[in-house]
Amino acid sequence: MKRPGVWKMLMVAVCVALLSGLQAQDLPGQVSIILLGATGDLARKYLWQGLFHLYLEEVGKGHHFRFHGTALTSTEQGQEAIAKVLESLSCPGDMASGHCAELKAQFQQLSEYRRLKTPEDYLALSKDIEAQVEHEGLRETGRIFYLSVPPFAYVDIARNINSSCRPGPGAWLRVVLEKPFGHDLHSAQQLAAELGSFFREEEMYRVDHYLGKQVVAQILPFRDQNRAALDGLWNRHHVERVEIVMKETLDAEGRTSFYEEYGVIRDVLQNHLTEVLTLVAMELPVNTSSPEAVLQHKLQAFQALRGLQRHSAVLGQYQAYSGQVRRELQKPDNFHSLTPTFAGILVHIDNLRWEGVPFILMSGKALDERVSYVRILFKNQAFCVQSEKHWVAAQSRCLPRQIIFYIGHGELDSPAVLVSRNLFRPALPSASWKEVEGQPGLRLFGLPLSDYYAYSPVREQDAYSLLISHIFHCRKDSFVTTENLLASWVFWTPLLDSLAHEVPRFYPGGAENGQLLDFEFSGSHLSFSQLLPEQLVPGPDSAPLPSDFQVLTAKYRDSPLISAWPEELIARLAGDIEAAAVRAVRRFGEFHLALSGGSSPVALFQQLAAGHYSFPWAHTHLWLVDERCVPLWDPESNFQGLQTHLLQHVRVPHYNVHPMPVHRRQRLCAEEDQGAQAYAEEISALVTNGSFDLVLLGMGTDGHTASLFPQSPAGLDGEQLVVLTTSPSSPHRRMSLSLPLINRARKVAVLVMGRMKREIAMLVSRVGHEPKKWPISGVLPDSGQLVWYMDYDAFLG
Ligand code: BG6
């Protein structure tokens, strides 16, 4: 049956809808910006100014704006606070004051305060925006929600926006988030998943304000515009090292409740410095103005970062920090914090471009100056014949060659890009960058300013203004995507975990720090340059009590002590053994190393086997310090342990391996087989003066060392080099180097690990020379060096 009336009505309705759709497209658009936390610190200092800046930039370009400042405070209080901030807004210096006043008044008119707390508040806001847009004959283009609130509030707010405050069809939504974005990989994943259930990836804008710093934002355009000059230079063949630095003079006072949970690595390195690192290290996309390409290349840079180890970092804490935490967080007088306020980190990138180039990341509070920069130092193989006074900056290849992205502050006190004149003259967009005027006497990174091509922005702009403009223009590459955020946490979390109990080096703060925090690297190890005579070391618990703190001199029984957590201790010992080996082989052509058995050295053997590729194994002789009287293939044999954990994995010539002859003529340690004498003869024949280059010992809970036991006189003195002894525990029969032979060594290292050793370590620290009671106390090299390697468990229990 035909129903012409209904049909006609339907047609009319469709036409009206289409027409109104067409008309809506033609209407001027409105963007609503909702600033949550509008009365907070960040908003007052930067965000309102950034919004005003956006307004100045965009007004007259076809968009209408409305600004809604929101918070949890009452309408009256909020309005008052906002009015004050709006009054303080400023225009760029080159804008006529009349024009400025006019635009400011417009902006004030377009801004309002409202309380935004309950789901009803969100719904009301949405309705109000719709009504106002309709009333003014506009079309809604989009809504920006800027969340300047603590992260615990994110999820509730996200839920409310999603359920009651999304704009209608055809209008976009952008939600801006401020750090912290999690505390480690797990919490970041959790937060990302929660936010992901409310917003699509393209709707989220995670702010890292360093990406809004003018010089940081210029890194990729600079690399792009100077491709011709940089193509051959930006790689491991030419770059000596890269330094990414943020030094601060301020400390954490007033924000310890945040800082105590985060510390310098999470606060600054995981985000700001890592973002900068990726901009320097990433492959340059063909089209640097494609946000997708930039983000993709950034992600690839993350994937090439080599995992960090505990020894990739040095940590410090300014001395006043714990006191500030106690005051601000009402902690008891005996509270001491381990939170680092200073960190230096050595990063390596495993790809063809950067293999072997050290990237040093460093940041700290309470340092001597405030400055942030990236310095790319190039290798220099030039030799200049003329004396220095004849060197010409633009020509001499002998002057340092470097590119510096001077992010801000410091002696220059403005952002700048500096390129040594002996490198090339860089191209920068002349409309926005100008040459820096000379400042006589000013030297930066070893060169007078005049030795650089130096450019600074024509108009300095605050990071937040730039970022707010990029949010408006959908420049996603200036923000942190979920993928990149998680990639950063994947990189940092293992290090943070391994440093959780690390004791930072305490520093006085400011200029008084002197050289205390200087650090240096060798291979992939980073360490402070200055060894401290003493260090406060807390117990292994994360919240140590003062009774856990002890002043540990870096000496033990008057000899040097190296104390650390086990992994680091083993790494250090392995490094020291390698260094001794290299030295000995260089001087004498061979290295004689006598090793102990038991469980403590297993980790050391593994470390030597796995990570010391330049160890001169071909010139190393391996000896045993002691042996159990069991066949060499017995699992209890010290030689068997050495074989399993080390010898199988390295290339030591078999004639350089010297097991103890405990098994002769199918008998074990029979006196008449003279195994001990045979070993002594072998030593005398091969080891000059019977002086091993290095003897590695352990210490038993009864004070024994090697197989020299208390109350058993064999081997404690006399002429014998190798002796048969009796152990209180099975297998009882042992063969051992004697104390006099051990004491002839050039270096003796005693490795003591584990809580079980705590008591004996305490006791031996106090006893004199009493080898009969504690054979270990008889270890005193005649002219060699004795070094104690103790882990914190052995030392502090
Ligand atoms: C912030 C950190 O993200 O960056 C602060 O939380 C730090 O601890 C600040 O002081 C440094 O930023 P800027 O812009 O002063 O270099």
Side-chain angles (χ1 to χ4, degrees), residues 179 209-210 213 246 248 255 267 272 365 370 372:
K179 82 177 174 79
H209 82 280
Y210 259 60
K213 302 248 177 198
M246 186 217 274
E248 299 189 273
R255 350 169 26 214
D267 185 36
H272 306 324
K365 302 264 181 209
R370 181 181 185 193
S372 303

Side-chain angles (χ1 to χ4, degrees), residues 32 34 68 125-133 140 143:
S32 306
I34 301 103
H68 306 269
L125 170 64
S126 190
K127 295 268 173 257
D128 288 355
I129 293 175
E130 282 160 21
Q132 172 256 320
V133 167
E140 189 167 9
R143 295 181 190 177

Side-chain angles (χ1 to χ4, degrees), residues 424-691:
F424 61 93
R425 178 191 271 279
L428 278 108
S430 59
S432 44
W433 293 80
K434 61 173 193 318
E435 285 211 43
V436 177
E437 280 162 31
Q439 298 186 29
L442 177 60
R443 291 180 71 84
L444 293 168
F445 305 97
L447 294 177
L449 183 60
S450 55
D451 280 8
Y452 294 99
Y453 294 111
Y455 295 85
S456 62
V458 170
R459 192 198 272 175
E460 273 192 44
Q461 199 181 357
D462 167 69
Y464 283 96
S465 297
L466 196 100
L467 289 178
I468 287 174
S469 160
H470 284 192
I471 296 163
F472 182 73
H473 291 288
C474 223
R475 292 271 308 272
K476 282 289 274 186
D477 51 328
S478 298
F479 300 88
V480 184
T481 59
T482 307
E483 255 186 330
N484 282 333
L485 172 72
L486 296 182
S488 175
W489 280 119
V490 165
F491 177 63
W492 286 103
T493 303
L495 178 76
L496 286 162
D497 288 346
S498 71
L499 293 175
H501 303 291
E502 188 81 5
V503 185
R505 172 172 285 196
F506 300 105
Y507 58 95
E512 276 177 63
N513 293 338
Q515 270 79 56
L516 197 60
L517 295 176
D518 293 356
F519 54 88
E520 54 197 53
F521 52 87
S522 129
S524 56
H525 280 234
L526 208 60
S527 53
F528 283 117
S529 307
Q530 239 182 47
L531 282 180
L532 281 191
E534 55 183 41
Q535 167 85 320
L536 275 174
V537 180
D541 297 322
S542 53
L545 301 167
S547 55
D548 292 330
F549 278 78
Q550 309 188 9
V551 176
L552 300 182
T553 61
K555 294 237 153 153
Y556 180 84
R557 294 184 58 79
D558 288 333
S559 293
L561 164 73
I562 291 165
S563 193
W565 293 103
E567 190 193 327
E568 191 184 19
L569 187 72
I570 291 294
R572 170 69 191 261
L573 176 55
D576 289 353
I577 295 177
E578 180 176 358
V582 170
R583 252 195 326 270
V585 171
R586 200 178 297 138
R587 290 181 61 192
F588 312 114
E590 54 190 23
F591 176 56
H592 289 274
L593 173 63
L595 293 168
S596 289
S599 55
S600 288
V602 168
L604 172 72
F605 296 165
Q606 289 167 341
Q607 169 91 24
L608 284 171
H612 290 261
Y613 304 113
S614 36
F615 202 107
W617 292 117
H619 303 282
T620 297
H621 284 255
L622 289 173
W623 302 86
L624 269 290
V625 158
D626 66 332
E627 187 54 283
R628 295 142 197 236
C629 294
V630 295
L632 292 185
W633 60 83
D634 190 297
E636 286 211 89
S637 150
N638 286 345
F639 180 74
Q640 198 42 240
L642 184 64
Q643 167 76 11
T644 311
H645 299 294
L646 183 63
L647 293 178
Q648 275 182 15
H649 311 282
V650 295
R651 294 165 75 91
V652 182
H654 68 88
Y655 44 83
N656 281 4
V657 180
H658 308 280
M660 276 187 156
V662 284
H663 195 195
R664 300 187 115 196
R665 300 193 191 112
Q666 302 193 348
R667 292 186 296 201
L668 292 168
C669 294
E671 290 278 1
E672 50 281 35
D673 291 337
Q674 307 220 321
Q677 288 86 330
Y679 205 51
E681 279 163 25
E682 201 175 338
I683 294 169
S684 303
L686 296 174
V687 183
T688 314
N689 300 328
S691 285

